[in-house]
């Protein structure tokens, strides 16, 4: 099995920073893309940032210039540095990975973390 374990998150003041980490482990053959999604109360889950295996990134317009995603391929770990946090960033943040499991090497499989709460107070 493959699992994604997240760390970080918590309660911060507006303007503050947090750094989220997510490590993938288990029966991994290779990891394609990794990313962070978030879901606020009453809203649908949205992509916050994604990073491909070559390091190329993309961001939601709402976080551009404030958040930075990166990955360590050797550790199968993705990070999300969140700066200048706003109350509207409050949500449950989920780690996502598209990867190949050694048991099914011909297919890309989606894996999700359990989610970590980020709360930004005004």
């Amino acid at each position: 099995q493959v699992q994604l374990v997240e760390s970080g998150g918590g309660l911060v003041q507006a303007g503050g920073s947090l750094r989220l980490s997510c490590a993938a482990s288990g029966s991994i053959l290779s990891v394609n893309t990794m990313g962070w999604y978030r879901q606020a109360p009453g809203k649908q889950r949205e992509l916050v940032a994604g990073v491909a295996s070559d390091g190329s990134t993309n961001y939601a317009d709402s976080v551009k210039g404030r958040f930075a995603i990166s990955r360590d391929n050797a550790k199968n770990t993705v990070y999300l540095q969140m700066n200048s946090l706003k109350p509207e960033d409050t949500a449950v943040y989920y780690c996502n990975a598209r990867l190949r499991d050694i048991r099914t090497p011909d297919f890309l499989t989606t894996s999700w973390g359990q989610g970590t709460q980020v709360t930004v107070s005004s």
Side-chain angles (χ1 to χ4, degrees):
Q1 300 89 332
V2 174
Q3 64 177 7
L4 274 57
V5 179
E6 298 152 324
S7 62
L11 174 64
V12 299
Q13 297 285 332
S17 298
L18 284 174
R19 180 177 169 86
L20 306 182
S21 299
C22 173
S25 62
S27 54
I28 299 171
L29 178 63
S30 62
V31 178
N32 192 345
T33 59
M34 303 188 79
W36 290 93
Y37 291 72
R38 68 185 181 187
Q39 187 166 25
K43 296 184 178 180
Q44 296 201 344
R45 188 174 300 186
E46 64 173 347
L47 176 67
V48 177
V51 57
S53 58
D54 65 356
S56 60
T57 60
N58 65 92
Y59 298 90
D61 288 342
S62 60
V63 307
K64 287 181 179 177
R66 300 188 297 120
F67 291 9
I69 189 170
S70 61
R71 65 188 287 174
D72 185 335
N73 291 332
K75 298 180 179 180
N76 289 327
T77 299
V78 63
Y79 307 93
L80 185 67
Q81 179 66 47
M82 303 185 293
N83 299 322
S84 302
L85 283 162
K86 304 175 180 179
E88 49 263 47
D89 294 318
T90 296
V92 177
Y93 284 70
Y94 297 90
C95 178
N96 169 272
R98 290 281 286 169
L99 52 84
R100 296 185 187 275
D101 192 308
I102 60 174
R103 298 170 300 177
T104 55
D106 295 334
F107 304 94
L108 283 171
T109 301
T110 300
S111 184
W112 291 92
Q114 80 286 351
T116 184
Q117 177 71 47
V118 172
T119 302
V120 184
S121 62
S122 61

